[in-house]
Amino acid sequence: MEPLIIAPTSSTPLVWFDRDLPEAWIMGNSLPENAIGFYKRIVDWLDLNLPAMQAPIHWRIRLHYFNTNSMKGMYDTLSRIAAHMQAHRGHTLTWEVEEDDEFMFEAGESFRELLALKMDMPMITEEEAVLSMGVMKARIMGLEQKRA
Amino acid sequence: MKNGAAEYNGIITSEVRVQLTDLVHTLLRAYAGKVPVLRRVCSITVELLDNAQRYGADGQVRFGWKLDDGIVIIRTENVATADEAARLVERVRLVRGLRPEELEAAYRAQLVHGAFGAKGGAGLGIMGIARMAEGSLSATAVPISATHSLCITEITTNLNAPWNP
C-alpha cells in the first residue's frame, strides 16, 4: 500500500497518511484554488486504503488558514475517517487549534456536531505549530532524498 | 489601538492570497495588539480574496484594508463577467436577508449536501463571510462594458464584537 505524502505549499497543507505509521497528518494552510481536486486525492486514497487500516492510528489535523471550499473537502475527508473510527476501535482524532483561533475552533465544533465525531480539540501555540511544520517538512525532504 | 490602512493593486494568485492574509495578520497585530478576533478577520480576508480570484475575469484584484477606531474595513474590487457579477450581488442580497439561525442552517446544509460548482466553489464563501462579519457585507456590480462589470465587495467588522455563530 503506497502512503499518501503531499509536501506543503503556501496554499495547500502537508498530508502524510501511511498505514505503517502510528500518526496520520494534515497540517498547514488549506486554501487551494481548486479544493475539489486537492481533497479528491485525499478522499480517493482513504476510500481505497481505509478498509485495510485496522491498526490504531492517531489522525491529527492542524490548519493555519483555510477557506470554506476546504471546509467542504475536509467534511468529506472527516466523514470517511469518522465511519472508519466507528467500525474500528482504537483510532483517535484530534483537531488542533492555534491559540485565539476562534474560527478554527468553531469549524472543529461544527464537524464534531455534524459527524458525531469523537474528536479532541487541544490548543497549541503558534510557535509549536511553526516548529512541528518545520520538522515534518524536514522529514519529507529526507524521504524524497532517500527515494532519489 | 492605532488606526492604519494598506492597499494592494495587482495580480491575484494563490501565493498573493496567502501573502495578503499574512499582511492583514501582521498589520492587525501591530495596530490592534492581540485581539481575539484577529484570526476571524484573516479568515474573512481569505474568503474575499478567494472569491476575487475564482470569479475574476482578468487575474487582477484591488485589495484594501483599513482600521479605524476598532472597525476593520476590507474591500476587494475585481472585474468579472456580467453574469458572475450579478450572481455575486444576488447571493449577497439573499444572505443578508437571512436571520442568524437561518444563515447557520443554510451554511450547514450546503456543507453537508452541497456539491462543488463549475469553478470549484463550494457555495460557502459568501455565507462564510456573513457568518464571520459582525458588521455589514455589501456587494456592488458596476458595468464597465457590455459583457463585464467591476465587482466591489466590502465588509466592516468590529474588532471588539463577540462572535456567536
Side-chain angles (χ1 to χ4, degrees):
Chain A
M1 180 192 290
E2 277 294 304
L4 177 67
I5 301 174
I6 304 173
T9 68
S10 61
S11 60
T12 56
L14 172 153
V15 179
W16 194 320
F17 290 174
D18 184 342
R19 75 164 182 178
D20 296 327
L21 295 177
E23 289 187 343
W25 278 97
I26 298 179
M27 174 198 278
N29 287 338
S30 183
L31 21 102
E33 192 185 354
N34 179 8
I36 185 171
F38 185 82
Y39 279 92
K40 185 177 186 308
R41 207 171 148 196
I42 296 176
V43 166
D44 285 350
W45 190 93
L46 289 171
D47 285 344
L48 189 67
N49 294 289
L50 266 180
M53 294 172 76
Q54 287 168 23
I57 287 182
H58 182 186
W59 302 87
R60 300 181 69 174
I61 297 164
R62 181 188 292 178
L63 298 173
H64 185 57
Y65 297 136
F66 87 139
N67 58 3
T68 47
N69 287 330
S70 293
M71 186 109 180
K72 176 68 183 157
M74 186 58 72
Y75 178 85
D76 294 342
T77 301
L78 286 175
S79 63
R80 264 85 177 167
I81 295 173
H84 190 69
M85 284 173 72
Q86 277 171 3
H88 300 90
R89 284 164 180 259
H91 288 258
T92 51
L93 173 62
T94 53
W95 178 268
E96 302 177 9
V97 181
E98 289 178 33
E99 291 174 320
D100 296 330
D101 193 346
E102 56 177 13
F103 175 63
M104 210 60 77
F105 186 81
E106 189 272 334
E109 293 234 295
S110 292
F111 287 134
R112 199 151 61 175
E113 226 178 284
L114 288 168
L115 292 163
L117 276 173
K118 274 188 176 173
M119 181 169 80
D120 289 330
M121 292 174 54
M123 290 283 168
I124 56 158
T125 64
E126 210 174 312
E127 290 74 21
E128 278 177 279
V130 171
L131 182 67
S132 52
M133 176 57 102
V135 170
M136 293 294 272
K137 273 185 184 171
R139 285 175 64 190
I140 288 186
M141 281 170 69
L143 203 67
E144 283 170 351
Q145 279 175 359
K146 204 186 280 181
R147 279 179 179 164
Chain B
M1 191 178 294
K2 294 185 282 184
N3 294 334
E7 191 170 297
Y8 167 82
N9 191 359
I11 59 163
I12 176 84
T13 63
S14 295
E15 181 62 31
V16 169
R17 278 188 293 138
V18 175
Q19 293 300 328
L20 289 175
T21 306
D22 272 339
L23 175 71
V24 168
H25 191 274
T26 305
L27 287 171
L28 266 180
R29 274 252 170 103
Y31 285 103
K34 208 173 178 183
V35 289
V37 297
L38 189 144
R39 296 297 292 272
R40 172 166 27 121
V41 175
C42 291
S43 299
I44 292 169
T45 303
V46 163
E47 292 306 325
L48 286 175
L49 291 170
D50 203 53
N51 266 347
Q53 183 182 11
R54 189 176 312 281
Y55 302 107
D58 62 359
Q60 302 278 317
V61 70
R62 170 174 277 192
F63 171 80
W65 173 93
K66 189 176 173 188
L67 175 60
D68 195 358
D69 289 337
I71 305 292
V72 178
I73 303 166
I74 305 172
R75 177 186 173 103
T76 54
E77 294 179 17
N78 63 278
V79 174
T81 63
D83 285 351
E84 292 288 6
R87 205 169 296 137
L88 171 75
V89 171
E90 176 61 8
R91 196 157 178 80
V92 168
R93 190 189 67 78
L94 286 173
V95 164
R96 286 184 59 180
L98 296 175
R99 292 196 304 271
E101 62 274 19
E102 292 174 326
L103 176 61
E104 191 60 26
Y107 182 83
R108 289 187 172 208
Q110 184 67 18
L111 180 63
V112 175
H113 304 295
F116 283 100
K119 294 207 167 187
L124 291 163
I126 294 298
M127 283 193 275
I129 294 167
R131 285 170 81 240
M132 291 183 277
E134 287 298 324
S136 68
L137 162 65
S138 69
T140 315
V142 180
I144 54 171
S145 72
T147 54
H148 288 78
S149 295
L150 182 68
C151 287
I152 304 165
T153 313
E154 185 174 291
I155 70 102
T156 61
T157 195
N158 186 342
L159 285 185
N160 300 308
W163 190 40
N164 302 301

